Amino acid sequence: MQHAIVRAFAWAGGLTLLLAIAGGAVLANSFLRRIDAITRTNRAIMEGDLSARIPVRGTHDEIDQLIASLNAMLGRIQQLMDGLRQVSSDIAHDLRTPLGRLRQHLEDARERAKTTADYDAATDAAIAEADELLETFSALLRIAQVEAGAQKSAFAELDLSALARSVGEAYQPAAEDSGHTLDIHIEDGVHLTGDRQLLAQMISNLVENALHHTPDDSSVTLALRRTGARFDIEVADNGPGIPEAERGRVFDRFYRLDRSRSTAGSGLGLALVKAIAGLHGLSIELTDRKPGLGVVVTGTAAR
């Protein structure tokens, strides 16, 4: 009986050891294959294929969760790189025209200016073009700073109702001078934690955009409404509006409905609005007013 028990334990131990070795080999081989897939994807990305992704097996284990996180990170990196390429292309395209005009003014001054008045006129035109370029670069720098979250250190609770009302009242004389009507409907008692200067810039850009892109005798409305803990800032007009196919791109840098670039502006105003709203956790929606356009910024009030 003792001999039989020892022999049974020996067979059982040997079989267990073999099964453990076989199972370990299978698991190690599976793990190494998945590591190889990650390595191949990494090499493809290093070679320039930012669209490469690590295959997911669908087992929902820890490695699958890690791969899903890595793929999400790679998708975000690709999105940022595509945005960087687009911005670089837009900068080259949109700054080419003012730089060309600046060069033309200087050439005209060198070849045709005969009097001091001619030189003064050429100098003034060159300074105006240079100021436009500086404003464009300043706007780009401000957008980059906002998107990097550098302004969050200045966050404090503020009276959003009073801020929106002051911005609207500041633009009413300019609206009247341009033949527009600016109506203000602000509910009191809406507070928000954020940067006062940036929020004022956001509302100002929305009002300026509405005044600039609507014809004379148009009506523009600045409203702040609260529903429970939520609030809406809306800037609406009764102008021509924006075609539905274009609405998804109006917040892109340098994007303008005027393809010829014959009107003033750099196409960065709404891009800055989007950056400021994102920094404060606010959402933006474009609505069709039939006629006109409404831009609604939605968020949660501090109290």
Side-chain angles (χ1 to χ4, degrees), residues 230-242:
R230 307 288 291 177
F231 68 84
D232 294 329
I233 302 173
E234 182 179 21
V235 177
D237 61 71
N238 60 353
I242 297 177

Side-chain angles (χ1 to χ4, degrees), residues 17-82:
L17 181 61
L18 290 176
L19 290 175
I21 293 174
V26 171
L27 290 176
N29 187 46
S30 174
F31 180 77
L32 290 176
R33 285 201 305 269
R34 302 179 79 175
I35 294 298
D36 287 340
I38 296 175
T39 302
R40 287 194 301 270
T41 304
N42 185 40
R43 289 174 179 170
I45 292 173
M46 287 190 297
E47 292 173 358
D49 183 11
L50 295 180
S51 63
R53 297 293 181 269
I54 306 170
V56 179
R57 297 182 61 181
T59 57
H60 304 293
D61 57 8
E62 289 78 3
I63 297 180
D64 254 12
Q65 294 175 16
L66 175 61
I67 291 174
S69 298
L70 290 174
N71 285 338
M73 180 187 68
L74 293 174
R76 178 58 176 163
I77 292 174
Q78 182 183 13
Q79 181 183 359
L80 292 174
M81 292 301 297
D82 290 342

Side-chain angles (χ1 to χ4, degrees), residues 214-226:
T214 53
D216 295 345
D217 299 327
S218 297
S219 176
V220 178
T221 302
L222 170 61
L224 173 60
R225 298 178 293 268
R226 179 168 182 169

